[in-house]
Amino acid sequence: MATGQVIFYTKGYLLDLKKRVKLLKEGFDILSKKRDELISKLMDYLEELKKMRETVISELINIYSQFLYLYSSMSENKINAELVGIRGSLVVNVLPISVMGVVVPQIKLMRSPNINAISNVQLVSIVNQMNLLLGKLLKLIELEAKIESIAWDLQMTNRIVNALEKIVIPDLEETIRKINDMIEEDMLEEFTRIKRIRDIILKRREGK
Amino acid sequence: MSYIAIKAHVMRSEIIKSETYRRMLLAKNLRDAVSILSLDKGGIWYYEKIAQIEPNEPKLLNRVIYDVFLNKVTHLLSSVRVIGDKYLRVYMVRYIESLVFSLLKASFWKKRIEISSFDLGILMKLFGDKIKRLALLERPKEILEYYFSLIAYNKSEAFIENILSIASNLKDTFFLEAILRKSYYISLFNKAKETTTDVLINLTGIEIDITNIYNLLVARSHNYPYNLIDMILIPNGLKITRNQLIRYYMMENISEIPQIYQPLIVNYVQGNISENIGLEYKIYLKHLQNITVRDPVSIPYVVYILKLLEIEKYNLQLILNSFLYGLDKENIGKKIILY
């Protein structure tokens, strides 16, 4: 029984409790389904994340290694000359969207830095590859944030479901059982008392 | 041994030998690799300077390599007494191209960059006092005029205004660089023609071909329309005609591109750009190896040695930086150019 809960051993309270248990059971069913769905979504996203991360990391290593070779072969002056005209910065917009009631971020690339000033063909190729990868990187970040939000929500849902399943509903059912017992006892007592009164009344009538 | 053979041998001996690169690649660390340079006549130049600095500082290391490279170029030119040659004067402008372009970009985008006294000091060895003027230029127009004067290429004020206005509309400084490169190669080709030496005309033609290919690839990533392509294409290429290049730009079909240049495009398209590193030097070297030494103080032979010095600088940079960045030595071995 939940601590601090005042119990009224009345039929009205019993009915009220039964309604509450019914509602909690419905809530439990819905939350269990949500939990299962969240687990299934989380598994899908994790699978997707694994593949995407592998691709992004291997592409990143490839681009980085190509850049290192280029950086090693070009003089620093040349690299600096290429980078002078790069303007603007990366601007992204993060929108909150709801997936099964879980708020997850959606990242939109609004503006990339202007790289038109780069004229070295090899550097252009590397920067173009990096620009393409940037979209994938943002998707990866979005997916990771999504997984984190869903995992957190799953944890909360799981706690609620467990609390309902193992504590709240059994407690209330126990309380209902107790109230039921008490009411039955009261009724039996009342019945016995009425019977005895009836017997006494009958005896008195016979005496007269 | 004749005087010609001895002179040619002496000039060639100032270049680091292929064996030294191989040994450097086998070194355990950067310091060991640098010390191997001391055993090579051409390498001593680099060894003496690099030994004085902390080679683990990439910025400093690359500057010193550049400094020694220009010292060797100056030494070469003064030893053969060809400093005033018109072709070489234009040829050497490529050594300050990146500095001029970075100043141009900075002034175009209204940024400010300072030329370090170190860089100015290095460049003054080769270009004399006129390089000091470069540090004072602020407006794009002034920088363009300065560059045209360096390459001895007369361009009207209206032309300069026109290309600046196109670049402003495009918001793209690549266009300006492409026009400057075009002017550079037209001037260089004209000077090569004046020498009436096939080797120089052909070498310039090959450089024009490669520059055109590179310009087209960059222009494609910038989505340049046809009329701009027409403006940036450099005439007088050796193996590809203007029409072939335009057809390639329109249809992206490399079948018409000579086989020697195809890897440059294929690697770019496949995003395998590290394979292109050093490829152009291989192409130049293939062309220059046929050079016969009739006169070691002739301009073609000096240009041949200059190219070898450029390759030497490229090789050294690649090998020494590979120690700093932990690059695979086997791969580096494939990328260095042996002559």
Side-chain angles (χ1 to χ4, degrees):
Chain A
M1 193 192 302
T3 34
Q5 191 178 347
V6 183
I7 301 169
F8 303 101
Y9 295 97
T10 59
K11 273 200 168 177
Y13 189 66
L14 181 71
L15 284 172
D16 188 40
L17 273 188
K18 280 184 177 170
K19 268 186 202 165
R20 274 169 71 185
V21 169
K22 195 182 164 199
L23 188 70
L24 284 173
K25 279 187 174 169
E26 279 172 9
F28 168 76
D29 282 346
I30 293 169
L31 285 174
S32 307
K33 279 178 190 160
K34 182 187 172 186
R35 181 181 61 180
D36 295 345
E37 192 55 36
L38 283 178
I39 290 172
S40 139
K41 273 232 180 287
L42 195 63
M43 298 308 279
D44 290 348
Y45 284 151
L46 282 172
E47 193 63 33
E48 200 183 328
L49 178 76
K50 196 180 160 193
K51 280 180 197 161
M52 199 188 269
R53 194 182 268 169
E54 271 171 22
T55 320
V56 168
I57 287 176
S58 80
E59 281 181 35
L60 206 56
I61 289 172
N62 177 36
I63 295 172
Y64 183 64
S65 131
Q66 290 198 48
F67 179 69
L68 270 187
Y69 279 107
L70 186 65
Y71 195 79
S72 299
S73 67
M74 273 172 92
S75 70
E76 205 209 338
N77 280 347
K78 276 191 178 173
I79 295 265
N80 285 344
E82 292 296 334
L83 304 180
V84 165
I86 293 181
R87 293 160 306 120
S89 50
L90 182 73
V91 178
V92 292
N93 198 0
V94 183
L95 300 167
I97 58 159
S98 174
V99 175
M100 294 189 60
V102 184
V103 179
V104 292
Q106 190 181 47
I107 304 173
K108 268 191 181 174
L109 181 63
M110 304 305 283
R111 198 180 66 212
S112 298
N114 187 328
I115 51 163
N116 276 5
I118 299 176
S119 58
N120 178 287
V121 70
Q122 286 146 342
L123 208 55
V124 165
S125 163
I126 287 175
V127 170
N128 283 342
Q129 286 180 57
M130 197 61 208
N131 244 356
L132 281 178
L133 189 67
L134 192 67
K136 289 182 189 172
L137 260 175
L138 289 178
K139 283 267 168 245
L140 185 71
I141 294 167
E142 189 183 297
L143 193 60
E144 281 191 355
K146 215 183 251 183
I147 287 171
E148 205 171 297
S149 299
I150 289 177
W152 189 83
D153 198 77
L154 178 65
Q155 192 186 358
M156 296 309 290
T157 312
N158 208 20
R159 273 187 199 168
I160 297 169
V161 169
N162 281 342
L164 285 176
E165 189 185 13
K166 294 188 172 124
I167 302 166
V168 181
I169 295 175
D171 271 8
L172 286 177
E173 281 176 340
E174 177 65 17
T175 312
I176 289 170
R177 194 186 59 76
K178 275 185 179 173
I179 296 172
N180 252 335
D181 288 353
M182 288 296 280
I183 289 173
E184 270 178 24
E185 261 178 46
D186 280 356
M187 279 171 67
L188 202 63
E189 199 183 302
E190 183 70 12
F191 179 72
T192 317
R193 199 165 50 86
I194 290 169
K195 256 180 100 179
R196 289 199 61 175
I197 291 169
R198 191 197 64 184
D199 290 348
I200 292 165
I201 293 169
L202 280 175
K203 271 182 189 173
R204 276 184 190 165
R205 278 183 190 164
E206 281 167 9
K208 279 180 184 175
Chain B
M1 236 182 183
S2 68
Y3 164 76
I4 289 173
I6 291 171
K7 182 76 183 169
H9 179 75
V10 169
M11 284 163 76
R12 192 74 164 70
S13 69
E14 296 287 341
I15 314 284
I16 298 174
K17 291 173 189 65
S18 297
E19 184 53 31
T20 305
Y21 298 128
R22 288 199 195 99
R23 289 179 61 197
M24 283 174 82
L25 280 172
L26 295 174
K28 281 181 193 162
N29 52 41
L30 184 60
R31 282 198 181 278
D32 287 353
V34 172
S35 65
I36 290 168
L37 281 173
S38 66
L39 308 171
D40 188 298
K41 198 184 167 197
I44 287 179
W45 287 73
Y46 287 97
Y47 172 76
E48 282 174 351
K49 289 272 184 178
I50 298 172
Q52 290 170 15
I53 59 155
E54 177 51 65
N56 286 324
E57 175 55 58
K59 210 172 177 177
L60 203 54
L61 178 69
N62 289 323
R63 278 185 168 203
V64 166
I65 292 174
Y66 184 56
D67 182 20
V68 177
F69 163 72
L70 286 187
N71 273 340
K72 285 184 102 170
V73 170
T74 316
H75 175 77
L76 169 76
L77 298 181
S78 56
S79 70
V80 288
R81 296 183 189 139
V82 287
I83 276 182
D85 180 79
K86 282 180 187 172
Y87 178 86
L88 283 175
R89 238 178 4 209
V90 176
Y91 182 91
M92 284 185 308
V93 171
R94 66 186 62 199
Y95 301 142
I96 55 163
E97 188 195 78
S98 57
L99 182 65
V100 176
F101 286 3
S102 58
L103 281 172
L104 180 65
K105 280 181 196 173
S107 72
F108 188 87
W109 298 117
K110 309 222 171 358
K111 286 183 181 176
R112 177 131 192 92
I113 55 162
E114 295 287 335
I115 309 175
S116 71
S117 50
F118 183 84
D119 285 341
L120 271 184
I122 295 173
L123 291 169
M124 272 173 66
K125 288 173 196 167
L126 207 58
F127 295 96
D129 278 352
K130 66 180 169 188
I131 206 76
K132 282 183 186 167
R133 227 190 93 210
L134 186 60
L136 304 171
L137 303 177
E138 283 182 350
R139 289 165 50 222
K141 193 181 159 196
E142 292 170 347
I143 298 168
L144 289 172
E145 282 168 349
Y146 178 84
Y147 189 80
F148 287 133
S149 75
L150 274 182
I151 58 173
Y153 193 70
N154 287 330
K155 277 290 171 193
S156 67
E157 207 163 296
F159 174 81
I160 294 174
E161 294 289 353
N162 183 34
I163 58 169
L164 275 172
S165 104
I166 294 174
S168 295
N169 289 336
L170 288 171
K171 291 183 179 155
D172 186 344
T173 43
F174 164 69
F175 175 74
L176 287 179
E177 287 181 44
I179 293 289
L180 289 189
R181 281 204 186 98
K182 180 179 178 177
S183 311
Y184 171 82
Y185 278 112
I186 290 174
S187 178
L188 192 69
F189 189 81
N190 289 339
K191 300 288 177 286
K193 255 190 357 194
E194 282 170 24
T195 64
T196 62
T197 321
D198 284 349
V199 177
L200 292 185
I201 295 170
N202 293 346
L203 175 70
T204 313
I206 289 176
E207 288 188 335
I208 289 172
D209 285 345
I210 292 176
T211 310
N212 273 334
I213 289 171
Y214 281 166
N215 278 348
L216 283 191
L217 294 174
V218 178
R220 176 161 293 289
S221 83
H222 291 203
N223 291 322
Y224 270 24
Y226 168 76
N227 62 329
L228 288 185
I229 295 300
D230 204 37
M231 281 183 86
I232 62 172
L233 274 182
I234 311 165
N236 306 320
L238 182 70
K239 294 186 177 186
I240 327 175
T241 62
R242 189 181 152 281
N243 287 343
Q244 278 175 318
L245 284 163
I246 287 176
R247 275 200 295 276
Y248 165 71
Y249 187 75
M250 297 301 200
M251 293 179 284
E252 281 189 78
N253 181 1
I254 63 162
S255 59
E256 278 193 60
I257 303 289
Q259 213 152 13
I260 192 166
Y261 303 133
Q262 283 187 9
L264 294 171
I265 299 173
V266 173
N267 288 333
Y268 175 87
V269 173
Q270 290 175 350
N272 205 2
I273 210 72
S274 63
E275 291 299 315
N276 272 358
I277 294 170
L279 211 57
E280 54 193 282
Y281 284 129
K282 281 184 185 161
I283 297 172
Y284 299 142
L285 204 61
K286 206 172 176 182
H287 175 73
L288 284 168
Q289 262 164 353
N290 303 326
I291 207 164
T292 45
V293 189
R294 285 197 199 94
D295 178 7
V297 293
S298 68
I299 301 301
Y301 195 72
V302 172
V303 171
Y304 172 56
I305 299 289
L306 276 177
K307 271 275 176 268
L308 289 185
L309 284 175
E310 288 168 23
I311 292 169
E312 175 189 85
K313 173 176 154 278
Y314 158 83
N315 282 345
L316 267 188
Q317 253 173 354
L318 201 57
I319 294 172
L320 295 180
N321 282 322
S322 75
F323 283 97
L324 289 177
Y325 302 119
L327 299 177
D328 179 39
K329 297 289 174 296
E330 205 175 311
N331 247 334
I332 294 293
K334 286 176 197 161
K335 289 186 196 310
I336 58 169
I337 320 282
L338 302 175
Y339 32 80

